[in-house]
Amino acid sequence: MSDAERREFFEILDRLTSLARSILEREQNA
Amino acid sequence: MSLNSGKVDSASLGRRLRRMPASCKFDKVNSSWLTVQARHGKSASKSPRQPRAQAASIEQSLRPGRARSRATSYLPRSSGLANVLRRSSTPVYGRRFGLSQVEWRIVALAGEHAPDLAQRTGGTHGPGQGPDLARRERAGRGAAGPAANTGARAAASASRSPSAVTQLYDELMIFGARAQLTSCSTA
């Protein structure tokens, strides 16, 4: 895996994590 | 150096041992001498029974920090994501099915391996179990009380009626997929 691919992969992971965090907050407030 | 190669009398062996530096240690399992680096190196200290060549190759792969940095950068992100997903799914499954996190794991595992489980246990179910139990689970009327204990009952009945757990598992999977689609479309 090249550095660019790794960066892209990490960005996807970070986006997924932030999305999951927002879902978690919504579930906790529901 | 191997003790098995050729004839070695005890006197000559003693002389050779005395000539060895104090820092050397003989690995009795692998019949080889451990160097100071192998004894105090990270890979050797974790598993002293590894052959010296194998320990050296592991040290070599770790030395540039490449494998270590890769592992340290992947693991926190992926485990953090898994942790947040687990925490967000737990209240959903709790509200919808009355499943705690442990119960959900049991149902997920039992449902995934239900065909094998059915084969091992004979695949039969008595009255009040199997499809009948699954119907009652869905209607919120369990065999022993309210639907709050659905997971425990499903897990307990897994060995007796794998088909009931399969149905509950399928229902959970469909519900999870729908919830994912809904959250993605609203996000």
Side-chain angles (χ1 to χ4, degrees), chain B residues 69-146:
Chain B
S69 71
R70 202 179 291 162
T72 51
S73 54
Y74 281 129
L75 285 176
R77 281 179 166 89
S78 49
S79 66
L81 174 61
N83 190 28
V84 175
L85 286 173
R86 177 186 57 76
R87 282 167 57 200
S88 59
S89 62
T90 300
V92 177
Y93 292 133
R95 273 202 305 271
R96 175 69 176 79
F97 294 102
L99 286 172
S100 73
Q101 193 186 324
V102 175
E103 288 168 346
W104 154 244
R105 282 182 183 170
I106 292 169
V107 169
L109 281 173
E112 197 179 346
H113 300 287
D116 185 41
L117 205 60
Q119 215 171 20
R120 282 165 194 262
T121 56
T124 56
H125 43 75
Q129 297 170 356
D132 186 33
L133 177 66
R135 258 198 307 278
R136 276 188 286 178
E137 307 273 22
R138 276 199 297 277
R141 299 186 305 276

Side-chain angles (χ1 to χ4, degrees), chain A residues 1 6 9-10 13-14 16-17 19-21 23-24 26-28 30, chain B residues 70 73-74 77-78 80-81 84-85 87-88 91-92 95 183 186-187:
Chain A
M1 192 184 275
R6 201 177 305 154
F9 177 61
F10 286 162
L13 272 182
D14 290 342
L16 279 173
T17 309
L19 180 63
R21 277 216 183 89
I23 293 169
L24 172 63
R26 204 167 52 201
E27 287 302 327
Q28 282 173 341
Chain B
R70 202 179 291 162
S73 54
Y74 281 129
R77 281 179 166 89
S78 49
L81 174 61
V84 175
L85 286 173
R87 282 167 57 200
S88 59
V92 177
R95 273 202 305 271
S183 63
T186 54

Side-chain angles (χ1 to χ4, degrees), chain B residues 45-59:
Chain B
S45 65
K46 274 185 183 173
S47 52
R49 293 186 175 191
Q50 282 175 338
R52 199 182 340 173
Q54 194 183 344
S57 76
I58 291 170
E59 274 191 6

